[in-house]
Amino acid sequence: INQVWYETDTVSHTAFTLLKANDLSTIQHNYWWKRNRQNINLDFEKKTANIEGKITDLQKEKLLKDFNKAVDSGYFVNWHSDLLMFPLLPFKENTVFKIKFHDPGFSPPSTEIYRVIGSETLKGLAGEGIDCWVLEFSLPKGMTGYQKFWIAKKTKEFVKEEDKIGEYYRIKLRMVVSEND
């Protein structure tokens, strides 16, 4: 998984995540932030961490503590692979999923709650209806807003994500492209 985040027209963050094909467990997770020029390389198989850039001793200590907890915790899903993993879930009405996620560099692994809150039909590029499951993330106590995901029932593909957390709003849409022109 290769991610590039932009603020206006400038790259602000990059992340590269390598997963095992048979169970989607994290082999490596490497990321860079422009704001502090941090370049972090985490290898979960070799149990090594390389940390470069502006980072305080306290921040480094926490990052390494969380990394070691992840290494020792057994199986977890890397939060950067959520859109890849959600289509694999066995969706049905009123289902609750408890998923052990880890966001490398930000927190130790934790079990998160996702609920199937219903169905909704979204409009596709050609105007066709796409019947979707709606999956909602239970925000931690003290946070206001929502995070929802739409997964196509027929194809099991990720279609849309919408986040409203405090003043922050984000939307992700599946982009259909062809590499052959």
Side-chain angles (χ1 to χ4, degrees):
I1 301 169
N2 192 21
Q3 298 181 357
V4 179
W5 297 6
Y6 289 88
E7 289 180 15
T8 313
D9 61 352
T10 303
V11 175
S12 62
H13 173 64
T14 61
F16 171 78
T17 308
L18 181 63
L19 307 173
K20 285 185 184 175
N22 64 339
D23 67 1
L24 300 181
S25 61
T26 304
I27 297 171
Q28 291 180 340
H29 184 79
N30 307 321
Y31 63 94
W32 169 84
W33 285 102
K34 179 183 178 185
R35 69 176 173 257
N36 53 18
R37 301 287 187 220
Q38 285 183 356
N39 191 29
I40 313 295
N41 298 296
L42 305 172
D43 190 314
F44 290 87
E45 279 194 334
K46 295 179 183 174
K47 301 179 182 181
T48 60
N50 183 24
I51 302 167
E52 299 172 359
K54 291 169 51 177
I55 187 167
T56 67
D57 288 341
L58 188 60
Q59 290 170 325
K60 185 175 183 177
E61 182 180 316
K62 181 184 180 325
L63 190 150
L64 290 172
K65 182 179 176 184
D66 292 347
F67 172 70
N68 288 324
K69 281 184 181 177
V71 167
D72 294 339
S73 72
Y75 185 82
F76 62 84
V77 176
N78 186 312
W79 231 321
H80 285 256
S81 65
D82 59 351
L83 301 184
L84 177 70
M85 188 273 306
F86 288 154
L88 303 175
L89 296 174
F91 285 90
K92 61 183 179 181
E93 290 291 333
N94 302 313
T95 302
V96 175
F97 300 107
K98 291 182 177 182
I99 304 169
K100 187 176 175 183
F101 271 112
H102 176 49
D103 193 358
F106 289 97
S107 62
S110 59
T111 300
E112 305 298 340
I113 305 297
Y114 289 81
R115 291 180 169 79
V116 178
I117 60 170
S119 297
E120 189 173 323
T121 301
L122 299 180
K123 189 187 293 187
L125 292 174
E128 77 283 12
I130 303 171
D131 192 17
C132 297
W133 292 109
V134 182
L135 184 66
E136 184 174 58
F137 172 59
S138 298
L139 293 176
K141 290 182 181 180
M143 293 181 75
T144 59
Y146 60 88
Q147 184 177 45
K148 295 180 183 176
F149 304 86
W150 286 258
I151 307 296
K153 288 183 178 180
K154 185 176 179 181
T155 64
K156 298 257 190 172
E157 293 174 286
F158 163 82
V159 178
K160 176 182 173 182
E161 174 185 346
E162 185 174 287
D163 306 341
K164 173 73 171 96
I165 302 172
E167 297 296 315
Y168 176 76
Y169 179 79
R170 172 176 73 179
I171 188 168
K172 295 179 185 177
L173 300 171
R174 178 186 64 181
M175 186 169 72
V176 180
V177 297
S178 171
E179 292 186 25
N180 301 321
D181 290 330

